[in-house]
Amino acid sequence: MKHEIMSLIEPIQDEKIKFKIDKTTYMTDIKTLFSEVELVACNKEQAKIVESLSRIQSRNGKVKPYIESIAVGIYSKRLQ
């Protein structure tokens, strides 16, 4: 599953994203964010991520705004 995600984000994997959780601001590159996805997301959640990224990419190719919302979810789970 991780391989599928990484192939979908390959064109933008080195871009940085910045997001807030509570009052803390986090900044990471997209590749690092998704390298940790297996640690916090079950197979079903990873499948939903792949499905959503594939759907968005097929419509307009711009997955970065969606990735920022995924980042909040991944980091929130990691902080628990």
Side-chain angles (χ1 to χ4, degrees), residues 48-65:
K48 286 181 182 179
I49 291 170
V50 169
E51 180 184 338
S52 297
L53 290 176
S54 297
R55 188 177 306 136
I56 291 166
Q57 192 175 46
S58 69
R59 288 184 187 157
N60 64 10
K62 296 178 183 176
V63 295
K64 189 173 179 184

Side-chain angles (χ1 to χ4, degrees), residues 26-76:
Y26 298 90
M27 187 167 189
T28 186
D29 60 76
I30 293 171
K31 184 177 182 177
T32 301
L33 172 71
F34 282 100
S35 67
E36 301 171 354
V37 75
E38 288 180 325
L39 300 174
V40 295
C42 68
N43 286 339
K44 187 176 180 180
E45 291 169 326
Q46 290 179 48
K48 286 181 182 179
I49 291 170
V50 169
E51 180 184 338
S52 297
L53 290 176
S54 297
R55 188 177 306 136
I56 291 166
Q57 192 175 46
S58 69
R59 288 184 187 157
N60 64 10
K62 296 178 183 176
V63 295
K64 189 173 179 184
Y66 181 75
I67 287 173
E68 290 170 358
S69 67
I70 293 173
V72 172
I74 291 172
Y75 267 71
S76 294

